[in-house]
Amino acid sequence: PGVFAWSLRPAPSAAPPSAADDEASRDAPRCDRAGANFGLPHRDFSYAEAHRPDGRANLLNVWLAVTDATPENGCLRVVPRHLDAFYASPDAYDHARPAVPGFEPRTTKLRFPVAAARPAPAPAGGFVCWHNVIHWGGACDPDAPE
């Protein structure tokens, strides 16, 4: 079995942007806690990697919250598989690329029903499990309580 670990870093400081900051940085939400990590919706594996030839699952994703993860501070968002038209369509382009950078600056083209996304909050020490569904990290509200 494989194990992967990521250490999330806080978004840029809550300090006001300087004249040297680029335009994207000036417009980005500011928060001094972890949040907005893995902000592009994605799947971690292809359909073939996540399933046995008979269609049964052969992996499970588990995310452990080291600190409280709430909708206000950037918890995980997931699209339940029954609301994902391309979940079991390994040959569909949209299965592997549920979101791609848009043509306009700072835009993203979504290829799934964003209204179907659900927040997946977890207390420190809690965990969230899923099987190859579309997921991403939410944005941190700089005014959220710690």
Side-chain angles (χ1 to χ4, degrees):
V3 175
F4 300 93
W6 289 268
S7 172
L8 304 183
R9 296 183 180 167
S13 162
S18 70
D21 287 343
D22 65 5
E23 181 179 342
S25 294
R26 281 195 306 270
D27 293 341
R30 306 238 174 226
C31 189
D32 60 358
R33 299 183 303 276
N37 292 282
F38 302 103
L40 190 64
H42 64 281
R43 297 180 202 276
D44 291 325
F45 301 93
S46 70
Y47 187 87
E49 292 170 320
H51 294 86
R52 295 182 174 127
D54 65 4
R56 291 181 300 143
N58 68 354
L59 59 84
L60 177 69
N61 298 76
V62 179
W63 180 79
L64 173 67
V66 179
T67 61
D68 289 341
T70 67
E72 295 78 26
N73 72 6
C75 73
L76 188 69
R77 306 279 199 255
V78 298
V79 176
R81 83 175 170 185
H82 70 279
L83 298 174
D84 177 1
F86 298 108
Y87 176 83
S89 302
D91 296 328
Y93 180 78
D94 292 347
H95 173 84
R97 305 270 313 216
V100 294
F103 292 110
E104 300 293 322
R106 297 185 307 277
T107 63
T108 302
K109 180 177 175 139
L110 302 177
R111 297 178 167 163
F112 64 91
V114 72
R118 306 291 190 260
F127 59 92
V128 177
C129 300
W130 70 93
H131 177 259
N132 213 37
V133 296
I134 298 168
H135 62 284
W136 67 98
C140 179
D141 178 351
D143 298 322
E146 291 200 35

